Amino acid sequence: MEPTHLFELVIAMFLAIIALHYAAHRLGLPPSVALLTGGASLAFVPGLPAISIDPGLVLVIFLPPLLMDGAWSIAAGRLRRHVIGIASLAVGAVFFTCAVVAVVAHLIFPSLPWAACAALGAIVAPPDAVAARAVLQRVRLPRRLQILLEGESLLNDASGLVLFRFAVAAAATGAFSAGEAAGSFLVLALGGAVVGIVVGTAWYKLVRGLGDEYLIIAASVLLGWIAYLLGEQLHVSGVIATVTAGLIMSWHQHTVLSAAMRMRGISFWTVMIFLMEAAVFILIGLSLRDVVERGGGFATVIATMGLPMLAILVALVLARFAWVFAADFVIRLCTALGFTRAAPLGVGGATVLSWAGVRGVVTLALALSLPEGFPGRDFILVTAFAVILGTVLIQGTTLGRVIAWARLVEQPESERPRLTISQAEAAMAQAQFGIVQSLAYDAEGKLIHPQLLERYQRRATSIVDYAERTEHYIPVLHAHFDVVLEAVATGRRELIRLHRAGEIDDETLRELERDLDLEELSAISAKA
């Protein structure tokens, strides 16, 4: 394919993303479902060249920034509090699911070597970070379930990748050692964490000295790829390296990035991540053509592999249910015996956590990376795609209904932050008033900033009162900011009229428009 035609296909893909997202919004479907089915449909458009995906390139391009985005937005404090539960899912559930799938695959095809069965298990075992984000963005979950799923999606790819590499090596050499695999996993994880700490610390020191906000934004965007590639070059976990570097960046961004850097950087980053997430699902759909052709066509695939693929999908789902419910039972037992104060998830929470295991790009990339001649390669590839399709279309579209059925409630008070957002605002306003009060007088004790002092004193008093009587003020607050938003809209119309009439230049338009934008964002945030 000529480079110009490839670029045209990329532009067409982005246009398809916009159209499919719009269609999903209008139809009330998860965008991931529309993108996946849309890409699969486009794959069979007459005249469209077959799309061949380089699995290694897909992982390098898409996985680091998407992992970095998850690490940037995750609550680090809650991540630490739930590290055992996250490790249980990211490591224990992946290993257990891999074993269950391997056993089921070997029962279906006794002639398939155990190493190939284990490779299939490793490919489909880890739920995908991209797919999980696409599903979780459309639902509301209690904080505990949210952090468990987000933390799992950040770390479980490392478990799946290690298992996959050992399974492929075992298929090639005919030897496998569980002890060696466990030791290797530990080395890869710890090595990846060390690389992530080094890269994240280097970013922190670099941005403090750069001074130029565009260079800082560019360095921040590149951080995920640098951590991932360096980790892989050093033969440790690039996934763990990326997540660790992302957590460091998330922790320090509040102190090293200015408000302008944060607003501009987040705006750019949000659009980039949106396009990358959507492109992943389009590419998965487009790969269907190659998968079906390898299997001998739709009729052959359904006739020869339909029931085995269904059995693998069912085993996959049941294995996750078994692990989650067993872990919840252990928590309940330990709590009853007084060993821990952790509250069990309950039937509803465990069901939602079990049903949220959606697979995506990592599963497909690992399947496509199997070497030619690998035992059962075509069956593994078709099954991997069927698992992605089944989990996205079935679990992704029904998760909202499962959550509604579960009637989940927020975690106990001990899990909630000590202060509400209103109380935090009151504390911040009191601190601001304190510093203004100390600077409002000159060395002789003469008041030199009376208006500032009055303004911050009034603000501190009103916010403290609001924090104490939040429910009373909410209707008044909404009405207040509705008026503010109307005033901003009117000011914007007048500003545009002045510009169109030639009474102000472009620079004045942009400066005043930025002020209106900030005022509008502040009003929307305060009203939410």
Side-chain angles (χ1 to χ4, degrees):
M1 185 186 299
E2 295 182 6
T4 304
H5 292 161
L6 179 61
F7 180 73
E8 290 171 352
L9 279 176
V10 171
I11 296 300
M13 181 179 70
F14 287 139
L15 291 174
I17 286 171
I18 295 172
L20 290 169
H21 253 273
Y22 178 76
H25 175 72
R26 298 289 294 179
L27 297 173
L29 293 172
S32 55
V33 173
L35 292 165
L36 186 60
T37 55
S41 301
L42 290 172
F44 293 93
V45 172
L48 188 71
I51 305 297
S52 179
I53 301 177
D54 184 325
L57 186 60
V58 168
L59 284 180
V60 169
I61 290 176
F62 292 100
L63 193 58
L66 295 173
L67 288 171
M68 181 67 67
D69 186 59
W72 170 277
S73 59
I74 202 167
R78 284 189 278 139
L79 185 67
R80 288 194 299 270
R81 286 197 297 273
H82 295 288
V83 65
I84 295 177
I86 291 169
S88 169
L89 292 169
V91 180
V94 170
F95 279 56
F96 178 72
T97 303
C98 175
V100 170
V101 170
V103 169
V104 172
H106 195 69
L107 289 174
I108 296 172
F109 296 110
S111 60
L112 195 63
W114 275 107
C117 296
L120 173 59
I123 287 168
V124 300
D128 186 64
V130 183
R133 281 170 50 86
V135 171
L136 293 177
Q137 284 172 355
R138 294 178 53 84
V139 298
R140 288 185 63 85
L141 287 172
R143 288 189 183 93
R144 184 181 178 188
L145 285 179
Q146 188 82 22
I147 198 70
L148 286 173
L149 288 169
E150 288 178 355
E152 176 196 16
S153 68
L154 284 176
L155 301 174
N156 61 9
D157 290 336
S159 305
L161 286 167
V162 169
L163 286 173
F164 175 75
R165 288 169 182 170
F166 269 91
V168 172
T173 62
F176 175 77
S177 169
E180 184 183 350
S184 177
F185 176 76
L186 187 61
V187 170
L188 290 172
L190 292 177
V194 171
V195 170
I197 291 171
V198 171
V199 173
T201 304
W203 170 86
Y204 172 71
K205 294 184 178 298
L206 176 66
V207 298
R208 293 184 67 187
L210 279 177
D212 185 285
E213 63 183 57
Y214 293 106
L215 293 179
I216 291 172
I217 292 170
S220 302
V221 170
L222 293 174
L223 181 65
W225 281 297
I226 293 171
Y228 184 86
L229 291 171
L230 183 59
E232 292 298 310
Q233 282 293 320
L234 296 175
H235 304 291
V236 297
S237 174
V239 172
I240 300 294
T242 305
V243 171
T244 305
L247 290 171
I248 292 173
M249 182 173 72
S250 175
W251 181 261
H252 288 295
Q253 56 101 1
H254 307 288
T255 56
V256 299
L257 301 183
S258 68
M261 290 178 198
R262 215 166 11 252
M263 287 186 65
R264 288 175 177 153
I266 289 176
S267 297
F268 169 77
W269 184 260
T270 301
V271 174
M272 186 184 81
I273 292 299
F274 162 75
L275 290 175
M276 295 190 83
E277 283 184 344
V280 164
F281 286 104
I282 285 281
L283 289 173
I284 291 174
L286 288 172
S287 68
L288 177 62
R289 180 172 169 179
D290 182 57
V291 171
V292 171
E293 288 176 352
R294 282 180 175 274
F298 271 115
T300 303
V301 167
I302 297 299
T304 61
M305 304 184 191
L307 288 178
M309 287 189 300
L310 180 61
I312 296 295
L313 180 58
V314 172
L316 189 76
V317 174
L318 292 180
R320 184 173 175 88
F321 267 87
W323 181 269
V324 171
F325 273 85
D328 200 50
F329 174 77
V330 171
I331 293 174
R332 189 183 301 277
L333 183 61
C334 291
T335 303
L337 295 175
F339 296 137
T340 179
R341 291 184 295 175
L345 293 172
V347 174
T351 300
V352 170
L353 190 62
S354 303
W355 195 245
V358 182
R359 273 64 177 178
V361 61
V362 173
T363 292
L364 183 66
L366 291 181
L368 289 171
S369 68
L370 284 171
E372 293 290 342
F374 189 85
R377 186 179 191 276
D378 290 343
F379 170 69
I380 293 174
L381 188 57
V382 172
T383 302
F385 192 92
V387 165
I388 297 170
L389 198 65
T391 55
V392 170
L393 294 183
I394 299 172
Q395 293 174 281
T397 55
T398 58
L399 182 60
R401 297 190 186 94
V402 173
I403 292 172
W405 166 84
R407 297 183 180 180
L408 301 176
V409 295
E410 189 53 87
Q411 50 267 54
E413 282 298 321
S414 59
E415 290 288 333
R416 295 180 183 174
R418 194 165 58 86
L419 297 179
T420 65
I421 187 171
S422 300
Q423 292 168 331
E425 284 180 327
M428 187 173 63
Q430 291 282 5
Q432 289 176 317
F433 172 61
I435 192 64
V436 170
Q437 190 176 37
S438 67
L439 298 175
Y441 298 86
D442 61 13
E444 287 76 31
K446 179 182 178 181
L447 182 62
I448 56 176
H449 298 298
Q451 291 180 332
L452 272 177
L453 183 62
E454 181 185 358
R455 171 188 166 192
Y456 277 89
Q457 184 177 22
R458 184 171 62 249
R459 183 169 180 267
T461 303
S462 63
I463 289 179
V464 169
D465 184 47
Y466 174 79
E468 294 173 350
R469 299 193 297 159
T470 303
E471 295 301 324
H472 171 75
Y473 281 107
I474 284 179
V476 178
L477 184 73
H478 282 198
H480 169 84
F481 284 106
D482 282 339
V483 175
V484 171
L485 290 172
E486 285 296 329
V488 169
T490 301
R492 197 184 304 278
R493 286 193 294 269
E494 177 64 12
L495 183 64
I496 293 173
R497 187 193 68 78
L498 293 173
H499 178 260
R500 299 296 186 263
E503 298 183 36
I504 59 173
D505 58 15
D506 288 349
E507 286 75 15
T508 302
L509 169 67
R510 281 193 286 269
E511 287 293 323
L512 295 179
E513 186 179 45
R514 184 187 62 184
D515 293 341
L516 288 173
D517 288 343
L518 291 172
E519 187 177 2
E520 180 177 344
L521 290 173
S522 177
I524 292 172
S525 175
K527 184 181 174 183

